[in-house]
Amino acid sequence: MAKKTETTEKTVKKNQNVHEVVVKIEGDSWTKAMDEAFQEKVKNVTVDGFRKGKVPRNVFEKKFGKESLYFEAADHVLQIAYEKALDDSKLIPVVQPAVDLKSIDESGVEFSFKIVTKPEVTVKKYKGLKVTKEEVKVTKEEINHELGHLLERYEEAVTKEGKIENGNIAIIDFLGKKDGVAFDGGKGENYSLEIGSNTFIPGFEEQLIGLKAGETKEIEVTFPEEYPSEDLKGQKATFEVTVHEVKEKKQRELDKDFFEDLGMEGIDSEESLRKELEENIKAQKEMDAENKYVDRLMEEVGKNTEVDIPEEMVEEETDRLVGRFEEQMKMQGVSLDLYYQITKSSEKDLRSQMEKEAFSHVLYRLMLEEIMTLEKVEITDEEASKEAEELAKRYQMEKDAFLAQFGGLDMIKYDLEMRKVIDLLKEYNK
C-alpha cells in the first residue's frame, strides 16, 4: 500500500504568528510526479539510437540518473503540497508563504512552508479622540496667485526685435559635435527653446543670451556626469547654434477673447472667473483638509493599538510600494537603475525609505479590520455589486472585466468595508 502524504506543523519561536508547516509527498503521488517529470524532460533529450523524445525511461535513467527528475517532479507537486499544508494546519496566510525544500530522493520530497498568520490586534480606544479638522478659508492672495498661473498658461509669444534675454523663446537650429564628430540626438531644426527653462545641458541656454535673429554662434558645454548616454556623460562638446527668431511672452488681457479661449462654461468676466477659481481652490483645500484629518485620526488610533506585526507583512507591503514607485518612474521614462544613478542611491536605500510607510499601511489595515469586527460592519453582495457597476461605468469598462482587474467582488466588498469603518471613526470623533 502506498504511503500517505504527511503533514507536520511547528511554530517558529521568533513570532507566534509565523508557523513552519512541513509536508512530505511520497508513494503514488511522488511516483506520478516522477512520471510527469520524465514526460517533460524526455521531449528535449537525444540519445544515440533513439529519436528525439522517444528515449525509453530505463535508458534515460541509466544515462542521466533518476536524480535528474527530482526537481522537475518537485515543481509538479509544490502546489499540491502547499494546499495540503493549509488544509491540514487550518492556517490562513496573510502574506505569500516562503518555501524551502528540506529533502528529496527517489522515495519522496519534503517541503517546509513558512506561513504567516494574522496577528492579534487590540484597539484600546477609537472613540472620542481629540482630533480636529482644520477650517478651510480661501484668501484673496490665493485667488490672485491662481489667476496669475492661469494668465501665465495662456501667455502669447510674440516676435521681438533685439537680443535674446532670459525668459525669451528662441527658435534655433543646432548641431552638436564631440571631438569634431556629430553625435546622435545632437541635431535640431526650428527648435523652440525657452531661455531659463533648463531644458538643455547646463550652460547651453545662458550662452544664447545676447544673440539676435540671424546670428550664429559656436558654444561649448560639458555633459553632466549623470547624463544617460555612456558616450557623452562628463564629456565636452560644441554646438553650432543659429537663431532664426526671438519671441517674448505677453500677458493676456482679461477680455472677451481671453474668456472665449478659456472655454469655461459660464465664465465671461473677471468676476465670474475669480468666483470659479475661489470654488476650485476651496474644493481642493477641503479635500486636502479631509485627507489630513483622516491621516491624523489614523495616527491617533494607531497610538492606541497593540499589535505585534510580523516583519514578513511589512516586507511584502514594502515590495508593493517599491513596485508602485517603479511604475510611476516608468511613466516618466525613468528606470529604477537610472533613478539610482541620478540620486546616487540603491535599492536598499529605496526600501529603507518605504519601510516606515509600509509599516503604517499594515498597522492601519489591521486596526481597521479589528474595528470592523467590533462594530460588526458588513457589506452585502448587492451593495458591492452596485459599487462595481458604478466604478465600471466610471472607467468605461464592462463590469466583469473591471472585477477581474480589480480582484473580484470580495475586493470591492473589502474596500467598501474599510471606507465604512473610516466613516464611523469620523462620526465617533466629531
Side-chain angles (χ1 to χ4, degrees):
M1 182 181 290
K3 292 182 181 179
K4 295 180 179 179
T5 301
E6 296 179 357
T7 307
T8 60
E9 179 193 345
K10 62 180 179 178
T11 301
V12 180
K13 290 182 180 179
K14 68 175 181 177
N15 188 301
Q16 62 178 350
N17 300 103
V18 181
H19 312 263
E20 182 185 9
V21 180
V22 177
V23 177
K24 186 170 185 180
I25 304 293
E26 52 188 356
D28 290 344
S29 296
W30 184 239
T31 299
K32 181 183 176 184
M34 289 285 282
D35 290 344
E36 291 172 345
F38 169 70
Q39 294 301 327
E40 287 294 321
K41 285 274 191 180
V42 77
K43 290 178 183 178
N44 301 307
V45 168
T46 302
V47 174
D48 291 343
F50 300 93
R51 285 182 295 154
K52 186 176 181 179
K54 298 298 182 180
V55 180
R57 178 78 171 265
N58 63 330
V59 175
F60 176 93
E61 291 185 354
K62 184 175 181 181
K63 181 173 179 63
F64 300 103
K66 287 184 179 181
E67 297 85 356
S68 64
L69 300 175
Y70 289 168
F71 292 104
E72 185 86 28
D75 285 340
H76 278 275
V77 296
L78 179 58
Q79 185 61 30
I80 296 171
Y82 177 51
E83 290 171 2
K84 182 71 175 172
L86 296 183
D87 187 53
D88 289 357
S89 67
K90 309 302 180 188
L91 296 172
I92 301 175
V94 290
V95 297
Q96 192 68 26
V99 59
D100 181 40
L101 196 154
K102 292 179 70 72
S103 65
I104 189 169
D105 55 34
E106 63 180 321
S107 67
V109 61
E110 192 173 56
F111 297 103
S112 170
F113 297 97
K114 185 167 74 170
I115 299 175
V116 181
T117 57
K118 185 177 179 179
E120 183 178 341
V121 183
T122 303
V123 182
K124 295 184 289 185
K125 184 178 181 181
Y126 60 92
K127 298 179 181 180
L129 301 170
K130 296 179 180 179
V131 179
T132 57
K133 183 177 176 180
E134 81 177 42
E135 190 178 344
V136 170
K137 292 180 181 179
V138 179
T139 66
K140 186 177 180 180
E141 287 74 16
E142 288 172 326
I143 298 173
N144 288 339
H145 182 74
E146 195 62 30
L147 179 58
H149 274 306
L150 192 61
L151 288 169
E152 186 178 322
R153 199 181 315 149
Y154 281 85
E155 281 180 336
E156 292 180 325
V158 296
T159 301
K160 64 169 275 190
E161 299 295 330
K163 301 177 180 179
I164 295 175
E165 297 177 289
N166 196 41
N168 287 169
I169 296 169
I171 311 301
I172 61 172
D173 289 348
F174 60 87
L175 178 63
K177 295 181 180 180
K178 176 192 163 190
D179 299 327
V181 179
F183 52 83
D184 290 341
K187 181 179 180 180
E189 294 181 349
N190 292 314
Y191 188 92
S192 180
L193 175 63
E194 181 178 344
I195 309 303
S197 64
N198 298 317
T199 306
F200 273 31
I201 307 156
F204 185 101
E205 295 170 23
E206 293 86 340
Q207 294 184 63
L208 299 186
I209 293 175
L211 293 180
K212 297 178 182 178
E215 294 185 337
T216 298
K217 181 180 181 180
E218 187 175 274
I219 61 177
E220 291 187 1
V221 295
T222 301
F223 283 87
E225 290 293 340
E226 63 271 15
Y227 196 74
S229 171
E230 290 294 331
D231 293 334
L232 296 175
K233 61 170 56 176
Q235 299 296 307
K236 290 185 177 181
T238 60
F239 281 86
E240 184 179 286
V241 183
T242 298
V243 180
H244 292 301
E245 188 179 4
V246 182
K247 295 182 177 183
E248 61 181 345
K249 294 180 179 180
K250 290 288 186 180
Q251 184 172 296
R252 298 285 299 274
E253 296 293 329
L254 295 173
D255 54 19
K256 182 181 177 181
D257 290 340
F258 176 71
F259 296 125
E260 286 180 356
D261 288 347
L262 276 181
M264 296 169 66
E265 189 176 348
I267 306 302
D268 56 7
S269 66
E270 181 177 349
E271 182 182 358
S272 59
L273 177 57
R274 284 182 174 276
K275 186 65 178 175
E276 178 74 10
L277 292 175
E278 181 180 8
E279 289 175 0
N280 291 343
I281 295 168
K282 186 176 182 181
Q284 183 61 52
K285 292 182 79 171
E286 283 178 343
M287 187 169 68
D288 292 342
E290 177 71 9
N291 290 337
K292 288 177 184 176
Y293 171 62
V294 171
D295 287 344
R296 289 197 296 268
L297 200 54
M298 298 290 276
E299 287 174 14
E300 201 60 35
V301 179
K303 293 175 185 176
N304 288 277
T305 299
E306 290 182 355
V307 58
D308 183 13
I309 298 177
E311 62 184 28
E312 289 83 358
M313 292 185 74
V314 178
E315 187 173 339
E316 185 171 87
E317 179 63 13
T318 303
D319 289 341
R320 190 187 71 80
L321 292 178
V322 170
R324 186 179 71 179
F325 180 79
E326 182 175 13
E327 287 303 313
Q328 291 170 344
M329 288 293 100
K330 280 182 181 177
M331 290 175 68
Q332 298 176 38
V334 179
S335 68
L336 276 187
D337 286 339
L338 180 57
Y339 168 80
Y340 296 143
Q341 290 178 34
I342 294 172
T343 59
K344 294 181 173 57
S345 62
S346 64
E347 181 182 357
K348 183 179 178 181
D349 297 325
L350 180 60
R351 292 187 67 84
S352 180
Q353 292 173 27
M354 298 290 187
E355 279 174 3
K356 185 177 180 181
E357 183 180 355
F359 181 86
S360 294
H361 284 190
V362 176
L363 170 62
Y364 296 164
R365 185 168 70 239
L366 289 170
M367 74 189 194
L368 288 175
E369 288 174 356
E370 178 62 14
I371 295 171
M372 181 180 72
T373 301
L374 295 171
E375 294 289 335
K376 298 181 174 59
V377 172
E378 290 184 1
I379 297 295
T380 65
D381 287 347
E382 289 76 17
E383 289 174 309
S385 182
K386 184 179 178 182
E387 176 73 5
E389 287 175 7
E390 292 176 358
L391 289 172
K393 285 179 183 177
R394 188 183 305 170
Y395 290 104
Q396 299 180 328
M397 297 174 66
E398 291 294 325
K399 181 181 174 183
D400 290 344
F402 173 78
L403 284 173
Q405 187 170 317
F406 194 82
L409 201 62
D410 284 342
M411 284 301 295
I412 297 283
K413 189 180 291 188
Y414 180 82
D415 187 59
L416 286 174
E417 287 168 344
M418 292 297 98
R419 282 154 54 185
K420 195 168 183 178
V421 173
I422 292 174
D423 287 341
L424 276 176
L425 287 176
K426 291 191 285 187
E427 187 67 28
Y428 289 147
N429 293 282
K430 281 185 175 178

